[in-house]
């Protein structure tokens, strides 16, 4: 059984929480794309685990964490996450595996990411600054360095020194301090020692897991509205986010997928630049941001807020083949008198679809809203659908009908136990 969890909006939908919930019976939990620009939060008995690379389901005793070939990773971030789990008492031997095909995010990638952003000035994209774009650019231009090279230290030193030389030439044109290869190599050598015991042929044993009918949970990162092809590019991340990335990023054939769970936050949030058709700037936005603690898990930046955009989410569900929906953060909307939901777009008086719009159109269009009545009662922690206020139930049913996909999980708080299964 292969289940896939996909973010259907602009990221931070609560994928970490949902993956943790669904991992109870998983044998393997797999990250298959993106990098440590992701920040997935799991909260168990009051303890918070912010994951950037290690799959969020690893906290379950039976679940083995896999970082598959499609992930790009910063060794320093991965080492600090390993330390976090060790400090929490977890034994990671035989519990975490990392593909040798993963490309490395190296210090010059981070420097280039920031240099490009600074050069863009007022038009900056608002990347996470984690070196994602430059690392993926190196991957496709054959300048990348993988864990594969890290296994052979001499080879790694040669490649890293060569790449640093090239990158320092570029950094010089931006008047950025050059990278000191020798100093960085010392740090990388220490990270290498910690990481090497976890390196494995993840394709081989995921394939074996398929043959022996194990439960595999694929943990998507980011959100479809950030997909490198289906976002309003360049307000994107560098990787494909849609379900197809399961195949390229872990070697799992798409016909092996049994279910795709789309995570939908009950409203919209986004960090970084680019158009958000339903963005709001008023007191309601501030209230949602504060109550929903909408500050980035990776960068701490305040997230921009908007009403739920069902036009965009419907597209995300279609393009990713979503078979079930998990709604999150519905508890944050309690207390609002009216709740708006976007059910379509109008551009110059004509109906347009999400997929036909680039960033210029998305910035100009007018959302068509349906206004629904809110509910007063706080619903945090509720575990039964029947205990939700009638207007909250109507909000959920409206979403389900519009999207034409069954809603099977409703998360009512950040803690593991705070959810409704329907
Ligand atoms: P991800 O990137 O999709 O995994 O989401 P993040 O972890 O970056 O952001 C989601 C935030 O909302 C985290 O702080 C979660 O602990 C929290 N969260 C998840 N589900 C719920 C929910 O149903 N209600 C509330 N109040 N918080 C939630
Ligand atoms: P999770 O997995 C929210 C956004 C950045 C920026 C754009 C490009 O936690 O949902 P990048 O550093 O990827 O080059 O930045 O993409 N972005 C995310 N926003 N959650 C994420 O991941 C994101 N991953 C990338 O904010 O706008
Ligand atoms: Mg996040």
């Amino acid at each position: 059984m292969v289940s896939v969890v996909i973010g259907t909006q602009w990221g931070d939908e609560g994928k970490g929480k949902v993956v943790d919930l669904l991992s109870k019976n998983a044998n393997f939990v797999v990250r298959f794309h993106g990098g440590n620009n992701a920040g997935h939060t799991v909260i168990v008995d009051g303890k918070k685990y912010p994951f950037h690379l290690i799959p969020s389901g690893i906290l379950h005793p039976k679940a083995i964490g896999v970082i598959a070939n499609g992930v790009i990773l910063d060794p320093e971030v991965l080492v600090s996450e390993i330390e976090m789990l060790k400090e929490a008492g977890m034994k990671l031997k035989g519990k975490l595996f990392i593909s040798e095909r993963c490309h490395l995010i190296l210090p010059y990638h981070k420097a280039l990411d920031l240099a490009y952003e600074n050069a863009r000035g007022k038009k900056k994209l608002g990347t996470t600054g984690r070196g994602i774009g430059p690392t993926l650019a190196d991957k496709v231009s054959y300048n990348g360095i993988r864990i594969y090279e890290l296994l052979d230290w001499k080879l790694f030193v040669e490649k890293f020194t060569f790449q640093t030389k090239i990158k320092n030439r570029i950094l010089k044109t931006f008047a950025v301090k050059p990278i000191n290869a020798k100093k960085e190599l010392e740090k990388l050598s220490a990270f290498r020692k910690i990481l090497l015991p976890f390196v494995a042929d993840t394709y081989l044993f995921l394939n074996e897991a398929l043959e022996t009918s194990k439960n595999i949970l694929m943990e998507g990162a980011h959100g479809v509205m950030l997909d490198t092809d289906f976002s309003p590019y360049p307000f994107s991340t560098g990787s494909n986010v849609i379900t197809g990335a399961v195949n390229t990023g872990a070697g799992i054939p798409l016909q092996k997928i049994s279910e795709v769970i789309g995570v939908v936050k009950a409203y919209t949030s986004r960090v970084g630049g680019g158009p958000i058709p339903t963005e709001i700037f008023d007191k309601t936005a501030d209230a949602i941001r504060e109550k929903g603690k909408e500050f980035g898990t990776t960068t701490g930046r305040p997230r921009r807020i908007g009403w739920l955009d069902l036009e965009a989410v419907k597209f995300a569900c279609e393009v990713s083949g979503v078979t079930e929906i998990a709604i999150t953060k519905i508890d944050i909307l309690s207390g609002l008198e009216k709740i708006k939901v976007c059910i379509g777009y109008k551009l110059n008086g004509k109906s347009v679809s999400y997929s036909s719009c680039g960033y210029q159109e998305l910035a100009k269009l007018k959302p068509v809203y349906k206004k629904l009545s809110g509910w007063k009662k706080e619903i945090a922690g509720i575990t039964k659908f029947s205990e939700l206020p009638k207007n909250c139930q109507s909000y959920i049913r409206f979403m389900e009908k519009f999207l034409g996909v069954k809603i099977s999980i409703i998360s009512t708080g950040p803690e593991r136990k705070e959810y409704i299964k329907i």
Side-chain angles (χ1 to χ4, degrees), residues 6-15 221-227 230-232 235 237 241 262-271 276 278 306-317 320 325-329 354 395 399 403:
I6 296 280
T8 62
Q9 292 154 301
W10 280 264
D12 303 328
E13 297 89 350
K15 297 176 292 295
H222 328 304
V224 172
M225 299 308 126
L226 294 169
D227 180 278
F230 289 103
S231 60
F235 298 102
T237 188
V241 173
V263 185
V264 183
K265 195 187 281 201
Y267 50 90
T268 297
S269 77
R270 200 229 196 280
V271 274
I276 306 173
T278 61
W307 296 116
L308 177 63
D309 184 344
L310 286 181
E311 167 65 27
V313 172
K314 193 170 173 44
F315 167 79
C317 289
S320 301
I325 284 173
I327 296 178
T328 60
K329 305 196 91 161
Y354 169 84
Y395 185 67
M399 238 190 267
L403 297 172

Side-chain angles (χ1 to χ4, degrees), residues 12-17 39-41 43 297 303 328-329 331-332 411-414:
D12 303 328
E13 297 89 350
K15 297 176 292 295
K17 154 88 194 250
H40 298 176
T41 320
I43 303 181
T297 311
R303 294 173 181 155
T328 60
K329 305 196 91 161
D331 52 302
I332 303 305
S411 173
T412 56

